[in-house]
Amino acid sequence: MATLLLRALHPLRRLRRGHRPAAAVSLRVCSHGARLLYPDHIPTSPLQKVLLAAGSAGMALYNPYRHDMVAVLGETTGCHTLKALRDQMKRDPEGAQILQERPRISRSTLDLSKLQSLPEGSLGREYLRFLDVNRVSPDTRAPTRFVDDEELAYVIQRYREVHDMLHTLLGMPTNMLGEVVVKWFEAVQTGLPMCILGALFGPIRLRAQSLQVLVSELIPWAVQNGHRAPCVLNLYYERRWEQPLAALREELGITPPPKHIWGLA
Amino acid sequence: MAAPRRRSLWSCCGHGWSWATRCCRVPGLCSSRTWGPLGAWPLSQQKRAAETHFGFETVPEEEKGGKVYQVFENVAKKYDVMNDMMSLGIHRVWKDLLIWKMHPLPGTQLLDVAGGTGDIAFRFLNYVQAQHQRKQKRQLRAQQNLSWEEIAKKYQKEEDPLGGSLVMVCDINREMLKVGKQKAMDQGYRAGLSWVLGDAEELPFDDDKFDVYTIAFGIRNVTHIDQALQEAHRVLKPGGQFLCLEFSQVDNPFVSRFYDLYSFQVIPVLGEVIAGDWKSYQYLVESIRKFPNQEEFKEMIEDAGFQKVTYESLTKGIVAIHSGFKF
């Protein structure tokens, strides 16, 4: 009986030390009165979304190094398209698994030593080479903030993390020309307004020579491959590291790029 | 026998259990003060007293300083650009009005607290320099019958262009001071300017040192405003003036609605697009709403010991300049 009383006083002692339950922190209500659906969520009103979309589009054009602006544009304009993408992922068995398990691609979740040890020509090895050659890291992707649905927030985060995979699959570098080509591919594949806008307005910043190559050869190639390939968001890349890149390209119907563009742009 | 003893123990524990559960509900989980025997209420009072607001969030007092420091560390580089964007350049007029209200004479010792990027300090230096030049011109005009040698000597004398005026810029944030120092170098301000790292609640100066104390758009970020006001009273000379330029309450309900809409809908978006920082600008607009209104702040200044406290609302009450004197 005495022990019962002592056990009853334990929570009191813990509370006295200032213990705050974890749930209280995550359910913090922001100034709009809406609850946060995921850790980085910032609830926004429709007016704010419109202003953000316009502002981020302008800033991304003015300063192409502002990748966070491209991300914000995608989040604020993509609500309908993300729903369609999510439903399409649910219909595909591999896509449904991705939605269930929610894998993330970052330096902490990737086993870099294992990827290094894979044979040449495999997806994992080529992806690692792409990261090294272009001096990029999967951790530089901004977290989703302005999407008001928790599952759709994951879908757009997955899209962003898969973007580097697309560079590897298509063999495109991370300069302006390569990015525009990948945007055309993504625009056809996903239909996200941000991709469409990027594909249409990105070329403004290119030199005339690159522009000519882009319009005459690269865009038709990207569009064709985009139509032919199944949705790239449905691929569970984490389980395909050992798969040879050539085999994966054949499976998706992606042909090699028409011209060696690493010297351009 | 065992049974009666157990019953009596159980009844004892029963009471103990309900006492324990009542006390369990106290710290941090229950905000009502209506119940509370057995020392549980003073505990919750203590906990509540140690909390303050950070925008619309409630945070422990010890944390507020650090959080505000982080906000200004993040925004320091884009501070001036964002000020222009958010206020459409009107903040320049407000700061000019503050200096004109001050009417500093050459020889004034000014302490500008939370003056990080130096806007007030530079305006002060421009003003006293212009005043000093005007005084010199008047003197020359009054002495028309000087020989040309005496006039040449007057020009050669290395006189202080500021007439002995000094401004000390004090800020708690290193990044803001860095930006201010860089601006001073770029714009050519060298004489009469000092930069000090210091906390408004505990100024690193002696008593009775300055003629004027200004704090522009800084006092609402201070954790203990009353302490900052007391420090201001301490470091001013007798006869010294306290001036505060700060966001305040809008008196017109029509303007207030547009101001709220603009503050909460547009400003965080501007912060995200231009500076890549939504949360700092969300804190900014929320902290404005948490600051006391013109009358309440006037009373706080009077409580610190200032006299002849007045205020002037600018732009329909969006900002207000409070002024007080130490006698």
Side-chain angles (χ1 to χ4, degrees):
Chain A
M1 292 303 146
T3 51
L4 210 82
L5 183 58
L6 278 168
R7 238 178 275 157
L9 288 175
H10 268 297
L12 170 62
R13 243 181 269 145
R14 223 183 24 234
L15 287 163
R16 271 219 182 120
R17 264 183 241 131
H19 168 77
R20 214 177 280 193
V25 174
S26 62
L27 287 177
R28 201 186 66 211
V29 175
C30 82
S31 60
H32 293 273
R35 287 189 183 257
L36 302 183
L37 300 166
Y38 46 90
D40 291 298
H41 187 206
I42 298 178
T44 41
S45 66
L47 172 64
Q48 280 178 320
K49 287 205 172 65
V50 168
L51 291 172
L52 265 177
S56 58
M59 185 52 99
L61 265 183
Y62 175 70
N63 183 356
Y65 291 102
R66 291 286 302 269
H67 298 297
D68 59 323
M69 287 291 104
V70 179
V72 167
L73 182 62
E75 287 169 30
T76 48
T77 53
C79 44
H80 291 292
T81 325
L82 283 175
K83 280 195 194 129
L85 268 176
R86 189 258 315 264
D87 295 337
Q88 180 252 84
M89 277 175 87
K90 275 205 173 120
R91 285 195 293 267
D92 179 272
E94 215 174 329
Q97 236 180 353
I98 295 174
L99 279 178
Q100 191 94 16
E101 289 168 30
R102 308 253 177 120
R104 295 289 301 266
I105 303 178
S106 72
R107 285 225 177 253
S108 52
T109 56
L110 291 177
D111 189 352
L112 290 169
S113 50
K114 180 172 157 257
L115 290 180
Q116 192 87 13
S117 64
L118 288 172
E120 287 286 317
S122 62
L123 176 66
R125 194 73 184 79
E126 292 307 306
Y127 173 63
L128 209 62
R129 178 175 293 131
F130 163 80
L131 289 181
D132 289 331
V133 166
N134 291 280
R135 283 189 284 259
V136 292
S137 157
D139 293 334
T140 53
R141 301 280 160 222
T144 316
R145 280 171 300 159
F146 302 110
V147 178
D148 294 329
D149 178 305
E150 188 240 339
E151 197 171 25
L152 297 181
Y154 173 72
V155 172
I156 202 168
Q157 189 76 44
R158 180 76 183 164
Y159 152 76
R160 253 178 239 162
E161 288 171 2
V162 155
H163 179 82
D164 289 336
M165 294 290 170
L166 293 181
H167 272 281
T168 317
L169 275 175
L170 297 172
M172 288 290 133
T174 51
N175 53 26
M176 195 69 199
L177 185 62
E179 292 288 350
V180 172
V181 176
V182 176
K183 275 283 167 292
W184 274 94
F185 182 83
E186 286 174 348
V188 172
Q189 281 263 308
T190 62
L192 281 168
M194 175 263 284
C195 299
I196 297 173
L197 285 171
L200 291 173
F201 290 101
I204 289 176
R205 293 208 150 246
L206 290 174
R207 289 197 319 248
Q209 182 198 15
S210 318
L211 204 61
Q212 203 224 341
V213 172
L214 180 75
V215 171
S216 58
E217 293 174 50
L218 291 170
I219 290 182
W221 171 78
V223 170
Q224 250 177 12
N225 282 291
H227 277 301
R228 194 169 30 221
C231 184
V232 287
L233 284 177
N234 286 335
L235 295 174
Y236 207 135
Y237 295 98
E238 288 86 341
R239 299 217 181 120
R240 290 169 180 255
W241 291 131
E242 293 94 10
Q243 186 176 11
L245 189 58
L248 183 58
R249 281 183 179 149
E250 216 183 288
E251 185 186 327
L252 297 174
I254 294 178
T255 54
K259 203 167 174 167
H260 188 69
I261 72 163
W262 286 79
L264 286 173
Chain B
M1 308 234 291
R5 207 192 309 148
R6 222 183 296 142
R7 217 180 295 132
S8 65
L9 265 174
W10 180 244
S11 61
C12 165
C13 289
H15 288 307
W17 177 254
S18 64
W19 172 79
T21 45
R22 262 186 290 152
C23 287
C24 279
R25 291 212 303 272
V26 177
L29 295 180
C30 174
S31 57
S32 70
R33 266 193 256 175
T34 51
W35 68 276
L38 304 166
W41 183 45
L43 181 69
S44 74
Q45 262 269 289
Q46 248 174 23
K47 276 241 178 267
R48 219 172 296 120
E51 284 183 333
T52 182
H53 53 81
F54 177 72
F56 289 162
E57 226 182 293
T58 309
V59 298
E61 263 186 4
E62 320 87 65
E63 277 182 27
K64 177 163 178 178
K67 282 173 125 58
V68 171
Y69 192 95
Q70 255 182 335
V71 165
F72 283 95
E73 203 176 31
N74 294 342
V75 307
K77 294 210 171 71
K78 297 261 161 125
Y79 187 72
D80 295 316
V81 172
M82 282 300 300
N83 279 345
D84 277 328
M85 288 283 137
M86 291 190 292
S87 67
L88 307 168
I90 303 177
H91 76 105
R92 296 167 188 244
V93 178
W94 293 332
K95 289 171 180 159
D96 287 336
L97 283 170
L98 179 71
I99 297 293
W100 291 340
K101 201 176 170 87
M102 201 196 294
H103 287 311
L105 296 171
T108 304
Q109 314 283 302
L110 170 68
L111 172 64
D112 183 27
V113 177
T117 53
D119 279 343
I120 301 291
F122 302 153
R123 281 172 170 79
F124 170 80
L125 290 173
N126 290 342
Y127 190 95
V128 291
Q129 194 171 28
Q131 290 285 74
H132 190 67
Q133 276 173 354
R134 236 176 276 153
K135 193 166 116 181
Q136 275 186 317
K137 263 196 212 139
R138 254 182 279 140
Q139 274 180 339
L140 280 174
R141 241 180 274 139
Q143 296 163 342
Q144 285 300 315
N145 51 354
L146 283 179
S147 69
W148 65 266
E149 285 129 337
E150 283 168 296
I151 293 174
K153 226 185 286 173
K154 241 192 166 35
Y155 276 111
Q156 274 168 16
K157 212 177 5 165
E158 293 282 316
E159 218 195 76
D160 177 15
L162 297 171
S165 326
L166 262 171
V167 55
M168 192 85 84
V169 180
C170 178
D171 201 292
I172 199 174
N173 195 299
R174 230 175 273 267
E175 295 302 313
M176 295 289 279
L177 281 178
K178 248 195 258 184
V179 171
K181 277 192 207 170
Q182 188 59 47
K183 256 172 75 178
M185 281 225 276
D186 295 339
Q187 295 177 23
Y189 293 99
R190 263 168 261 283
L193 191 55
S194 311
W195 305 87
V196 176
L197 190 71
D199 186 350
E201 294 178 24
E202 220 180 302
L203 290 170
F205 304 112
D206 293 328
D207 300 2
D208 305 336
K209 205 158 180 276
F210 297 99
D211 296 309
V212 188
Y213 173 111
T214 53
I215 183 164
F217 301 120
I219 205 159
R220 75 177 186 287
N221 298 308
V222 171
T223 313
H224 301 107
I225 298 178
D226 48 346
Q227 271 181 29
L229 292 171
Q230 276 166 22
E231 279 293 280
H233 193 265
R234 179 180 70 80
V235 302
L236 276 174
K237 286 186 199 158
Q241 187 178 23
F242 167 87
L243 280 166
C244 172
L245 174 66
E246 190 52 82
F247 288 107
S248 210
Q249 303 282 3
V250 176
D251 40 26
N252 184 325
F254 185 68
V255 174
S256 171
R257 240 181 349 154
F258 277 105
Y259 179 53
D260 284 343
L261 188 83
Y262 181 74
S263 294
F264 285 101
Q265 301 296 317
V266 179
I267 287 187
V269 173
L270 275 178
E272 177 63 36
V273 171
I274 298 177
D277 193 346
W278 176 285
K279 296 222 156 116
S280 297
Y281 290 92
Q282 182 77 37
Y283 160 73
L284 183 123
V285 294
E286 290 177 359
S287 66
I288 292 174
R289 297 299 176 292
K290 282 294 194 183
F291 191 69
N293 65 19
Q294 285 91 325
E295 277 297 326
E296 277 171 37
F297 190 49
K298 174 175 170 211
E299 277 163 35
M300 285 173 82
I301 300 175
E302 280 168 350
D303 286 341
F306 289 101
Q307 287 167 46
K308 280 183 95 65
V309 180
T310 57
Y311 62 82
E312 189 187 330
S313 292
L314 305 173
T315 324
K316 283 281 171 210
I318 294 180
V319 299
I321 301 181
H322 282 77
S323 154
F325 290 89
K326 171 177 176 176
F327 289 124

